[in-house]
Amino acid sequence: MEKGSKRAILWLLVIPYIGLLWVPFYNFREPELLGFPFFYWYQLAFVPLTAFITWIVYRSTSHDD
């Protein structure tokens, strides 16, 4: 993998950081999902999303070991 595209893939790791850092973006009660206010299920949705993004970055980068 080229160094430039590898660096671009690493930028995917910023998505969860920005998505959860900006609290006024998701500090709402509506819409609710299964009785959970948006504030909670938005944060919970980032758990599998972050794992998936981390997996993508791991698979996309070369490992020399």
Side-chain angles (χ1 to χ4, degrees):
M1 177 177 281
E2 297 177 22
K3 190 171 184 172
S5 62
K6 182 179 177 180
R7 188 173 286 176
I9 291 292
L10 291 175
W11 276 101
L12 287 175
L13 295 173
V14 176
I15 293 172
Y17 181 74
I18 292 174
L20 293 172
L21 185 66
W22 192 17
V23 177
F25 179 70
Y26 59 90
N27 191 13
F28 301 106
R29 184 171 180 82
E30 299 290 332
E32 291 185 0
L33 180 67
L34 302 173
F36 288 98
F38 179 73
F39 179 77
Y40 293 112
W41 69 259
Y42 177 82
Q43 292 178 71
L44 290 173
F46 264 92
V47 173
L49 179 66
T50 302
F52 183 67
I53 289 172
T54 304
W55 178 76
I56 289 172
V57 171
Y58 177 77
R59 296 287 298 186
S60 300
T61 55
S62 61
H63 304 280
D64 295 333
D65 43 319

